[in-house]
Amino acid sequence: MVTVTILGCGGSAGVPLIGGADGRGDWGACDPTEPRNRRTRSSILIEGDQGQRLLVDAGPDMRAQFLAAGIGAVEAILFTHHHADHVMGTDETRVLNRITGKPLPIYGMARTLDNLKQRFDYAFLPAVGPWFFRPALEATEVSPGDTMEIAGLPLTLFSQDHGMMETLGLRIGGFAYSTDLVRLPAESFALLHGLDTWVVGCFQRAPHKVHANLDQVLEWVRILQPRRTVLTHMGSDLDYGWLRRTLPPGIEPGYDGMVLQPGAAPGR
């Protein structure tokens, strides 16, 4: 059994977007008086029974997310892909190095790790503890289809189609996480049967080239029948209150700081 915290559930620009009539944010269709509409960039924390913590993605809001959720350290980071809204908090990991006193293991596909090594080349140089004035990361390549332990948590990784690139989804027991996707290969879709809880990206109502829209997600849920579905990576088109009133039972919008405790997969 794991505990999952949604650190951020927004799209690449967050909600609100920079701008607006008064310069204090463009909220789109979202009600600015609803605090659950304020969304930082998408990331989750998975915590195991022994307190081990796996961070999934480290976007530009990582520092604020950790402070808001009371996170002091993690054992490892899994990167789903290398888009900026999922990796630009990487420099913040130097503080995690200081807390643990050692390099931090990170995991990702080959293309993701190559991109991180280009953007943050200094983070992959030999460690310089105990002060860690720069990050110290130890990279391990993973691939869709891998079943492995990361931070002591048994994960199954699967492929997702993000339009312009492949991204990683993950399953652990009855829980699965799927951000930044517009389609699922058949073999990945098959892995998602029998879920208790699915956190899945849903960017807007209208079709989008690289992100699933609301109708797509509803159709996936109709077929897969997870007990609970939580939407993430939402843009300013998806108001929290409207979603709560509109979505069928068993499907709900996520929000920053939401804590989930998925049960075992149904029938297992």
Side-chain angles (χ1 to χ4, degrees):
M1 304 289 282
V2 297
T3 299
V4 177
T5 302
I6 297 179
L7 300 178
C9 64
S12 62
V15 179
L17 284 69
I18 292 173
D22 60 358
R24 297 183 181 275
D26 179 355
W27 291 87
C30 290
D31 178 1
T33 68
E34 168 54 75
R36 287 165 291 194
N37 278 327
R38 188 174 290 275
R39 299 167 182 148
T40 59
R41 270 57 77 95
S42 292
S43 174
I44 63 170
L45 183 84
I46 305 175
E47 186 169 356
D49 290 339
Q50 306 304 313
Q52 68 273 37
R53 290 169 164 177
L54 171 64
L55 176 65
V56 182
D57 290 331
D61 303 309
M62 177 185 155
R63 175 181 173 274
Q65 291 170 344
F66 271 46
L67 293 172
I71 301 167
V74 299
E75 276 64 47
I77 303 176
L78 173 67
F79 289 99
T80 60
H81 63 301
H82 64 260
H83 277 165
D85 54 317
H86 295 262
V87 305
M88 290 309 290
T90 297
D91 192 67
E92 303 286 1
T93 60
R94 60 187 170 144
V95 180
L96 302 180
N97 294 139
R98 294 172 191 169
I99 291 169
T100 63
K102 59 185 179 181
L104 180 67
I106 67 167
Y107 298 80
M109 292 183 291
R111 185 178 177 188
T112 302
L113 297 179
D114 287 345
N115 186 275
L116 286 169
K117 289 173 182 177
Q118 292 172 17
R119 281 176 162 164
F120 304 99
D121 58 334
Y122 55 89
F124 298 90
L125 298 173
V128 286
W131 297 111
F132 293 101
F133 59 87
R134 54 175 169 75
L137 304 177
E138 293 182 343
T140 299
E141 181 183 334
V142 296
S143 300
D146 287 350
T147 297
M148 60 192 302
E149 278 200 2
I150 300 178
L153 298 168
L155 302 180
T156 298
L157 306 177
F158 54 89
S159 175
Q160 302 175 147
D161 182 355
H162 189 19
M164 80 261 314
M165 67 167 65
E166 182 180 35
T167 65
L168 277 179
L170 68 89
R171 178 167 182 167
I172 175 170
F175 170 77
Y177 183 62
S178 295
T179 189
D180 290 66
L181 75 164
V182 67
R183 284 174 292 273
L184 280 163
E187 61 272 20
S188 299
F189 200 78
L191 283 172
L192 294 171
H193 284 280
L195 285 175
D196 176 83
T197 302
W198 188 24
V199 176
V200 58
C202 180
F203 186 63
Q204 61 186 28
R205 283 173 276 186
H208 193 281
K209 289 183 178 180
V210 300
H211 290 285
N213 70 350
L214 188 55
D215 285 343
Q216 280 178 281
V217 173
L218 291 175
E219 177 62 12
W220 291 341
V221 170
R222 184 190 68 80
I223 297 169
L224 294 172
Q225 294 290 304
R227 183 186 66 85
R228 185 181 190 185
T229 300
V230 179
L231 307 184
T232 193
H233 207 284
M234 293 174 287
S236 59
D237 179 53
L238 296 177
D239 174 68
Y240 181 86
W242 179 83
L243 287 168
R244 290 293 290 180
R245 294 189 299 271
T246 304
L247 291 172
I251 309 177
E252 61 194 289
Y255 56 87
D256 288 20
M258 186 181 197
V259 177
L260 308 170
Q261 293 185 308
R268 295 187 181 183

